[in-house]
Amino acid sequence: MHDDFAFVDELVPGIRWDAKYATWDNFTGKPVDGYVVNRIVGTRALCAALALAEEKAAALGFGLLLWDGYRPQRAVDNFIRWAEEPEDGRKKERHYPNIDRPDMFDQGYVATKSGHSRGSTVDLTIYDRNTGEIVAMGGDHDVMDPISHHGAEGVTADEAKNREHLCTIMEESGFKRYDYEWWHYTLRDEPYPDEYFDFPIANPS
């Protein structure tokens, strides 16, 4: 691993995570290249900002649940190959019900050069600290549809308020939002704005 990167759970004790691309529970339907273990990696600057965000979330009765952080370029290349494969229908209804696979790139939901590969972008949500339950956001992670946009129509008042809670927490902790995905935030002062890394996410040997 790059010296300026770390496992988020080692620098932000108590944070929850479920690295979706290391599992079968993602839009490709299987583990993605480069995700050897179910852990989240990011720059040390990202980890410091997430520690602050976790504190702000706790003050509101929430905790953070991470779905993705650093994403190796080989994972992005995996997405590109997958988009060229015939549709099998296994994940379409849940993740991209109204578009075809190649449209994910054209419509801004997946990039051929992802900010995640720079190490300071994170996909996440919030959960209720009293119950441990993920709060309702009006849509799941990686739903490639206008319902995932900030300010989307069709979201209930409570769901919109929860999205605002997450947005406030993250923006006050040094992040900027991505308008098409309520779960996606990038560190405003990311340390590697022009570099795209490709080391795998794996436990130290």
Side-chain angles (χ1 to χ4, degrees):
M1 188 187 302
H2 187 282
D3 288 345
D4 199 27
F5 284 63
F7 290 110
V8 175
D9 59 278
E10 292 183 350
L11 297 186
V12 191
I15 201 163
R16 286 174 55 181
W17 76 92
D18 181 11
K20 292 296 189 183
Y21 300 129
T23 75
W24 293 77
D25 185 18
N26 63 69
F27 68 85
T28 73
K30 59 184 178 180
V32 176
D33 291 353
Y35 289 84
V36 181
V37 296
N38 189 326
R39 294 180 77 183
I40 306 291
V41 167
T43 62
R44 294 181 182 275
L46 176 79
C47 294
L50 285 174
L52 177 59
E54 178 78 344
E55 290 179 7
K56 291 183 178 294
L60 297 173
F62 300 117
L64 303 182
L65 171 64
L66 310 184
W67 286 316
D68 195 27
Y70 160 70
R71 181 181 303 166
Q73 180 60 41
R74 70 191 70 184
V76 178
D77 296 341
N78 189 163
F79 294 161
I80 296 170
R81 293 192 304 272
W82 170 86
E84 296 171 348
E85 296 173 359
E87 179 58 59
D88 57 22
R90 292 188 303 127
K91 295 293 184 175
K92 183 171 176 58
E93 182 176 355
R94 177 178 174 186
H95 288 286
Y96 50 105
N98 300 309
I99 62 175
D100 295 324
R101 292 185 182 191
D103 297 335
M104 297 178 184
F105 297 90
D106 296 336
Q107 297 191 21
Y109 296 112
V110 183
T112 57
K113 296 289 283 186
S114 172
H116 282 276
S117 300
R118 302 194 298 264
S120 294
T121 292
V122 66
D123 294 342
L124 79 170
T125 192
I126 51 177
Y127 66 90
D128 187 313
R129 283 186 175 272
N130 290 326
T131 65
E133 296 295 321
I134 296 174
V135 305
M137 289 290 196
D140 202 355
H141 171 246
D142 270 357
V143 176
M144 303 176 202
D145 187 86
I147 195 68
S148 296
H149 298 184
H150 285 277
E153 295 182 1
V155 177
T156 70
D158 285 343
E159 291 163 348
K161 186 176 181 179
N162 289 333
R163 291 187 183 192
E164 290 174 7
H165 281 313
L166 176 60
C167 189
T168 298
I169 290 165
M170 297 302 287
E171 289 184 341
E172 289 183 352
S173 301
F175 292 87
K176 57 185 177 182
R177 75 184 195 183
Y178 180 53
D179 284 342
Y180 286 4
E181 298 174 345
W182 61 258
W183 57 84
H184 178 118
Y185 288 86
T186 298
L187 198 61
R188 279 195 295 268
D189 296 322
E190 56 181 315
Y192 302 101
D194 301 311
E195 294 187 51
Y196 295 83
F197 298 92
D198 191 39
F199 59 85
I201 300 168
N203 288 325
S205 57

